């Protein structure tokens, strides 16, 4: 295990491993890209130094790239004939053309029990629609 590393060094290791480290509601939150191979040792190192990393991020949050946030969505010019695909969309298009993409179309049925908060459900769907212009 890597010993005596500063929080910034641990965060650099995390970024190299595709592990995003952020602070939300004064808690340390990790996000991981499934396409990256990650070192479990790095995750353990983050856990062991959680308090120091959290303090470091809170103290330096305005100066760091490690804080993740949702990027603002910019409306495209509607006169464009074709809106460019994201890298993820291009990858899915390529896989579909190469071998089909039935693995991305898995039907699922869920039975939810309990009271339904219709206002919250409507607000949730409206949030999704607002973030995705195509909807």
């Amino acid at each position: 295990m890597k010993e005596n590393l500063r929080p910034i060094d641990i965060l650099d290791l995390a970024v190299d491993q595709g592990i995003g480290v952020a602070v939300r509601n004064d808690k340390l939150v990790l996000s991981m890209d499934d396409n990256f191979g990650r070192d479990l040792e790095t995750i353990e190192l983050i856990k062991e130094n959680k308090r120091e990393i959290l303090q470091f991020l809170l103290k330096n949050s305005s100066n760091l790239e490690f804080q993740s946030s949702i990027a603002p969505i910019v409306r495209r010019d509607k006169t464009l004939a074709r809106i460019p695909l994201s890298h993820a969309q291009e990858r899915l298009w390529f896989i579909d053309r190469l071998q089909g993409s039935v693995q991305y179309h898995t039907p699922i049925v869920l039975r939810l029990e309990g009271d339904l908060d219709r206002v919250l459900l409507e607000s949730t769907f409206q949030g999704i629609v607002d973030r995705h212009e195509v909807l």
Side-chain angles (χ1 to χ4, degrees), residues 3 7 9-10 12 16 26 30 32 35 60 71-72 90 96 101 105 135:
E3 301 283 330
D9 299 324
I10 297 170
D12 274 340
D16 291 343
D26 293 330
L30 302 182
M32 296 174 222
N35 295 329
N60 298 292
E90 286 180 1
D96 182 60
S101 61
H105 306 285
L135 298 176

Side-chain angles (χ1 to χ4, degrees), residues 23-71:
V23 176
R24 290 197 187 102
N25 300 324
D26 293 330
K27 292 184 180 182
L28 201 61
V29 178
L30 302 182
S31 61
M32 296 174 222
D33 183 352
D34 290 336
N35 295 329
F36 273 86
R38 67 191 54 71
D39 185 358
L40 295 177
E41 190 174 296
T42 303
I43 295 172
E44 282 301 313
L45 194 59
I46 293 168
K47 287 179 183 177
E48 291 169 4
N49 295 279
K50 183 164 76 170
R51 182 178 302 140
E52 292 83 6
I53 294 170
L54 182 59
Q55 289 172 349
F56 177 79
L57 287 173
L58 288 171
K59 181 179 176 188
N60 298 292
S61 63
S62 62
N63 301 329
L64 292 176
E65 298 174 13
F66 299 110
Q67 289 267 191
S68 68
S69 62
I70 297 174

